[in-house]
């Protein structure tokens, strides 16, 4: 039982259905849909649409998404809603333009957004309520305004100077040159109009016609290579794919396949699976093993993960017993290994949500615009803020993740699903950039090794081995920090929380749903 003398959020328990998101208005919108008889997909779409409005720095219709959907009693299906590079985008062309890397604000960082294609495919195949109902709250907040929440206001203020450099972003996202403050009302009427059009006409309202023409014109004016044909092709870009998985402590951990980094999470789980990690283990030793496994898995991620059509090795090879044994032998329990060099741009801004409905259908859903406010390029005519996912492409001809026509970049955003004996027991996810794969492993280990409940596992202090440093949250005690230093880690106490998480545990014995939502964000889990 939770220590009642230490502040902390209790898990949310519900008998019928539950939703967990990182914003209260998003959770509220999804819960109402569930109460009205909507299913898990309906609630997820209602929630993410709201978050596209109220969490503008984190997500939007101009971004990408991935999802894992587990129908009650059925197999998990994965959907890849990540966008593709324009047909004219090649390493040679961008090199000719003088680029050696793709910056956040570059028009070349904008791949054709894939989120709306995925939303529409999920709704058409698995939704039950009409889109105009599902987008109702999002449209209301966009057109009439919503109060800016504390964490959103903090993150928004950090980006005000960058937003001021783009005329569209400055016009729509700043107030007298500054970010909105906590409690102030912010509205985006043009975004509301886009959601109305999508609800009425589907994906074509975004990828063709006047809206697409406006986005393409804006990108080309900035030097982009996008065409109307590129956007039209994006209408059907979302695809279903076969999930990948591995075993851990008697459970099956399910992830989306590449171009996402879910394989890195599974590699970490495989490495850690060879060690006993009881609740009694000292925190320093636990953090050390997790950090070393992360370094090994991420080294392979950075070198090998890309668009599935360009993978140098099949996922099965990376997850094989032989590969796992080799990596595990490289891990020392007594000393930190040589820091892995990281070359991917940091990913920070994503929203994750999960839903379990009254019939037992579950969805794990993640939507992102990559950096804070994506590319910061907001088309003032359509009101669409465009993401920056293309910044993760390499400008190296022979690299698996090199930019190329119609290619998807390596993605850090990953939804997760936990299964046991062929039944879904938990949709879960962790936001927080590169940390996401490492976060999946730490969260699951907290539950399956330490016996923490879903909220305790989310609340637990976090650490992350990144760029030669071991970042730790200030809740880690001094003795643990000293021991980690003695093991050879370069320890840095971070000033901002590491990531955020949501999860819903399905108690198969009682039918009770246990929801957890990260206090590092503004969100919550609710149910009925």
């Amino acid at each position: 039982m939770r220590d009642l003398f230490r502040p902390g959020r209790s898990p949310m328990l519900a008998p019928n259905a539950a939703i967990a998101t990182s914003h209260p208005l998003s959770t509220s919108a999804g819960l109402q849909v569930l109460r009205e008889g909507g299913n898990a997909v309906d609630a997820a779409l209602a929630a993410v649409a709201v978050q596209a409005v109220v969490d503008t720095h984190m997500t939007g219709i101009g971004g990408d998404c991935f999802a894992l959907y587990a129908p009650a009693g059925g197999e998990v299906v994965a959907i890849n809603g990540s966008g593709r590079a324009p047909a004219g985008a090649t390493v040679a062309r961008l090199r000719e333009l003088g680029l050696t890397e793709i910056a956040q604000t570059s028009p070349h960082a904008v791949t054709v957004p894939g989120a709306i294609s995925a939303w529409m495919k999920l709704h058409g195949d698995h939704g039950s309520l009409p889109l105009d109902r599902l987008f109702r709250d999002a449209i209301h907040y966009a057109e009439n305004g919503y109060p800016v929440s504390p964490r959103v206001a903090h993150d928004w203020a950090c980006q005000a100077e960058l937003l001021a450099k783009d005329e569209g972003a400055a016009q729509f996202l700043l107030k007298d040159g500054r970010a909105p403050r906590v409690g102030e009302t912010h509205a985006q009427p043009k975004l509301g109009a886009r959601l109305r059009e999508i609800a009425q006409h589907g994906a074509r309202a975004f990828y063709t016609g006047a809206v697409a023409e406006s986005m393409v014109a804006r990108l080309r004016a900035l030097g982009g290579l996008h065409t109307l044909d590129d956007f039209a092709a994006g209408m059907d870009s979302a695809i279903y794919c076969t999930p990948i998985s591995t075993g851990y402590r008697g459970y099956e951990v399910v992830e989306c396949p590449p171009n996402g980094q879910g394989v890195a999470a599974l590699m970490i789980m495989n490495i850690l699976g060879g060690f006993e990690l009881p609740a009694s283990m000292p925190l320093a030793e636990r953090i050390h093993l997790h950090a070393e496994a992360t370094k090994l898995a991420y080294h392979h991620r950075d070198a090998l993960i890309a668009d599935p059509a360009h993978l140098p090795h099949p996922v099965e090879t990376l997850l094989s017993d032989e590969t796992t044994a080799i990596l595990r032998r490289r891990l020392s329990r007594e000393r930190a290994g040589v820091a892995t060099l990281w070359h991917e741009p940091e990913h920070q801004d994503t929203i994750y949500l999960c839903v379990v409905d009254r019939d037992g259908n579950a969805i794990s859903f993640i939507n992102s615009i990559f950096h804070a406010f994506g590319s910061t390029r907001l088309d003032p005519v359509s009101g669409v803020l465009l993401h920056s996912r293309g910044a993760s492409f390499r400008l190296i001809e022979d690299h698996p993740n090199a930019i190329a026509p119609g290619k998807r970049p390596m993605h850090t955003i990953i939804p997760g699903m936990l299964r046991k004996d062929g039944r879904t027991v938990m949709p879960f996810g962790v936001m927080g950039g590169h940390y996401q794969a490492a976060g999946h492993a730490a969260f699951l280990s907290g539950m399956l090794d330490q016996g923490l409940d879903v909220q305790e596992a989310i609340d637990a202090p976090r650490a992350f081995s990144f760029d030669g440093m071991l970042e730790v949250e200030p809740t880690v005690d001094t003795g643990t920090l000293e021991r980690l230093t003695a093991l050879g880690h370069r320890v840095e106490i971070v000033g901002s929380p590491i990531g955020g998480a949501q999860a819903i545990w399905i108690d198969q014995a009682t039918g009770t749903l246990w929801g957890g939502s990260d206090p590092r964000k503004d969100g919550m889990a609710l149910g009925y």
Side-chain angles (χ1 to χ4, degrees):
M1 180 177 177
R2 181 179 298 274
D3 184 347
L4 299 182
F5 293 96
R6 298 186 65 185
R9 181 183 294 182
S10 297
M12 183 285 307
L13 275 65
N16 298 304
I19 178 170
T21 88
S22 54
H23 197 286
L25 297 180
S26 179
T27 299
S28 176
L31 179 64
Q32 186 59 37
V33 166
L34 291 171
R35 284 186 172 276
E36 292 176 13
N39 63 27
V41 169
D42 295 326
L45 292 175
V48 74
V50 167
Q51 218 147 355
V53 176
V54 303
D55 246 352
T56 299
H57 67 297
M58 288 284 184
T59 194
I61 64 174
D64 285 350
C65 85
F66 288 82
L68 292 169
Y69 176 58
E75 296 299 315
V76 180
V77 296
I79 189 166
N80 182 332
S82 62
R84 299 179 182 273
T90 65
V91 171
R93 178 64 178 136
L94 269 60
R95 288 281 189 176
E96 288 175 3
L97 296 173
L99 300 181
T100 57
E101 61 181 15
I102 301 174
Q104 171 189 354
T105 59
S106 168
H108 308 297
V110 182
T111 56
V112 178
I116 293 303
S117 177
W119 294 10
M120 296 303 101
K121 185 177 288 289
L122 279 169
H123 181 261
D125 294 338
H126 303 288
S128 65
L129 298 182
L131 284 171
D132 57 357
R133 166 59 192 93
L134 300 183
F135 290 174
R136 185 186 67 192
D137 287 3
I139 292 169
H140 172 78
Y141 293 132
E143 294 180 343
N144 298 291
Y146 63 93
V148 176
S149 59
R151 179 61 195 272
V152 171
H154 173 271
D155 293 343
W156 207 325
C158 293
Q159 304 299 323
E161 184 175 346
L162 184 59
L163 293 173
K165 296 179 180 179
D166 180 85
E167 60 177 346
Q171 178 184 346
F172 287 84
L173 300 176
L174 297 179
K175 182 176 182 178
D176 299 325
R178 61 167 177 82
R181 300 188 179 102
V182 178
E184 287 188 333
T185 298
H186 179 255
Q188 297 185 68
K190 288 193 175 183
L191 178 55
R194 302 291 79 76
L195 289 168
R196 285 186 183 277
E197 293 165 355
I198 294 166
Q200 183 176 1
H201 302 293
R204 70 172 64 91
F206 183 85
Y207 294 101
T208 65
V211 172
E213 291 171 3
S214 177
M215 290 188 288
V216 168
R218 171 70 169 146
L219 288 165
R220 292 191 72 86
L222 294 168
L225 304 173
H226 309 73
T227 67
L228 288 174
D229 287 341
D230 292 326
F231 269 74
M235 184 163 57
D236 298 313
S237 62
I239 58 171
Y240 290 113
C241 44
T242 303
I244 57 177
S245 66
T246 197
Y248 191 79
R249 313 302 192 212
Y251 289 82
E252 180 189 15
V253 184
V254 183
E255 301 275 355
C256 290
N259 52 313
Q261 66 162 335
V263 63
L266 300 182
M267 291 176 73
I268 297 171
M269 303 303 296
N270 280 347
I271 295 169
L272 293 179
F275 299 93
E276 295 294 328
L277 303 172
S280 59
M281 173 181 281
L283 181 57
E285 185 176 351
R286 187 183 305 280
I287 290 175
H288 170 73
L289 287 175
H290 184 266
E292 297 306 292
T294 297
K295 291 178 188 177
L296 292 167
Y298 278 47
H299 175 78
H300 289 76
R301 181 205 73 165
D302 292 350
L304 303 175
I305 302 305
D307 186 302
H310 299 266
L311 292 176
H313 301 286
V315 168
E316 292 77 12
T317 299
L318 297 177
L319 298 179
S320 69
D321 292 343
E322 181 181 5
T323 299
T324 300
I326 291 171
L327 295 178
R328 201 178 287 146
R329 286 197 296 269
R330 295 178 182 175
L331 191 156
S332 169
R333 301 188 71 153
E334 288 74 40
R335 194 70 183 167
V338 176
T340 300
L341 295 179
W342 293 46
H343 302 291
E344 305 294 340
E346 186 175 2
H347 174 96
Q348 298 176 338
D349 294 89
T350 297
I351 64 96
Y352 170 80
L353 61 91
C354 52
V355 186
V356 178
D357 65 27
R358 67 195 182 285
D359 295 320
N361 304 304
I363 190 166
S364 183
F365 193 106
I366 197 160
N367 212 94
S368 174
I369 54 172
F370 202 9
H371 298 89
F373 294 101
S375 64
T376 72
R377 301 301 191 178
L378 193 153
D379 171 30
V381 176
S382 67
V384 176
L385 178 67
L386 296 161
H387 69 164
S388 56
R389 180 55 57 179
S392 66
F393 275 127
R394 300 286 191 90
L395 296 186
I396 303 171
E397 285 286 2
D398 58 350
H399 195 282
N401 194 35
I403 195 169
K407 189 175 179 180
R408 302 178 191 266
M410 191 280 285
H411 255 269
T412 55
I413 62 174
I414 50 173
M417 194 78 74
L418 192 67
R419 308 257 288 175
K420 187 172 179 63
D421 300 328
R423 302 175 71 183
T424 297
V425 296
M426 183 172 65
F428 70 95
V430 178
M431 303 167 283
H434 286 303
Y435 178 70
Q436 289 183 50
H440 279 205
F443 168 71
L444 290 176
S445 179
M447 293 192 69
L448 305 182
D449 290 312
Q450 299 180 68
L452 303 178
D453 69 39
V454 63
Q455 189 64 54
E456 289 172 326
I458 288 172
D459 293 352
R462 291 181 179 147
F464 183 37
S465 182
F466 176 83
D467 198 22
M469 299 294 297
L470 180 61
E471 299 178 343
V472 298
E473 292 185 329
T475 48
V476 175
D477 64 274
T478 301
T480 296
L481 298 178
E482 292 173 349
R483 176 57 181 155
L484 289 169
T485 300
L487 285 168
H489 294 282
R490 295 174 58 205
V491 178
E492 177 184 21
I493 300 175
V494 295
S496 296
I498 298 175
Q502 269 78 234
I504 301 171
W505 176 266
I506 305 169
D507 187 326
Q508 297 290 354
T510 66
T512 299
L513 303 175
W514 295 59
S517 183
D518 208 314
R520 297 168 179 84
K521 301 287 185 178
D522 292 321
M524 61 180 63
L526 290 174
Y528 77 93

